[in-house]
Amino acid sequence: MRECIFALMCDKECEKILYQLRKNLFKETGDETIFSLPPFIMLGKTEKTSFDRAHFNFNLKFENNFTLTNIGYLLKANDDNKLKELQKSLGIEEGPTGIYFSKKNSFKMNNPIVTKHQRLVLLKPYLDGFTLLQ
């Protein structure tokens, strides 16, 4: 059985902000795990290896709502009801949704991250990171 992960790839502006936040956190902490986690909104595990392409226009806002999970610090959306509904429609077991930032550190954000356009992607865990399948 091959286990993959459904995620949402954010728009380019959001990706730039995420990269800058990770870069700043790395400078402050030296935590190399920051760059092994993908800059995507993680939805959950699946046995699927392909799917129909899908684009979404969820207006999602992320703002200092960190949760420590077994993978690391997860930044959750202020209102993740749309993400929970998407999990159900994809047949994903309900679980934490959000952006993993670091396996070791959280931080205080000065400004919220907002994304308005997302694309559904499928990730495969590979070594200490992930490979984008589709």
Side-chain angles (χ1 to χ4, degrees):
M1 177 177 78
R2 196 166 114 177
E3 194 170 83
C4 296
I5 297 169
F6 272 121
L8 291 175
M9 180 184 285
C10 300
D11 52 75
K12 292 295 178 195
E13 189 60 36
C14 181
E15 282 185 17
K16 288 178 192 175
I17 293 167
L18 288 173
Y19 176 76
Q20 192 59 49
L21 285 170
R22 287 175 174 209
K23 188 174 164 184
N24 293 345
L25 184 58
F26 176 73
K27 284 180 185 177
E28 290 176 20
T29 64
D31 178 7
E32 296 174 355
T33 66
I34 294 164
F35 296 107
S36 68
L37 298 166
F40 302 137
I41 301 167
M42 305 302 252
L43 297 174
K45 296 178 183 177
T46 183
E47 292 181 19
K48 294 180 182 180
T49 56
S50 65
F51 62 95
D52 293 332
R53 291 194 182 270
H55 292 265
F56 301 94
N57 293 312
F58 297 148
N59 190 3
L60 301 172
K61 187 175 183 179
F62 297 86
E63 186 174 36
N64 289 315
N65 187 4
F66 284 96
T67 301
L68 181 58
T69 70
N70 61 337
I71 295 173
Y73 284 92
L74 177 74
L75 177 61
K76 297 176 68 171
N78 289 0
D79 177 14
D80 65 352
N81 289 333
K82 291 175 186 157
L83 298 177
K84 298 291 183 193
E85 289 173 19
L86 182 56
Q87 276 182 323
K88 286 179 188 172
S89 72
L90 293 170
I92 300 171
E93 186 176 313
E94 192 170 318
T97 59
I99 303 167
Y100 285 100
F101 257 88
S102 167
K103 293 182 181 180
K104 300 177 184 176
N105 298 287
S106 68
F107 60 97
K108 178 84 168 135
M109 295 172 55
N110 295 327
N111 298 307
I113 300 170
V114 177
T115 177
K116 295 180 182 179
H117 309 287
Q118 306 84 26
R119 179 171 66 96
L120 188 63
V121 296
L122 196 59
L123 305 173
K124 177 184 173 193
Y126 179 75
L127 300 176
D128 284 341
F130 294 87
T131 301
L132 183 64
L133 293 180
Q134 185 176 341

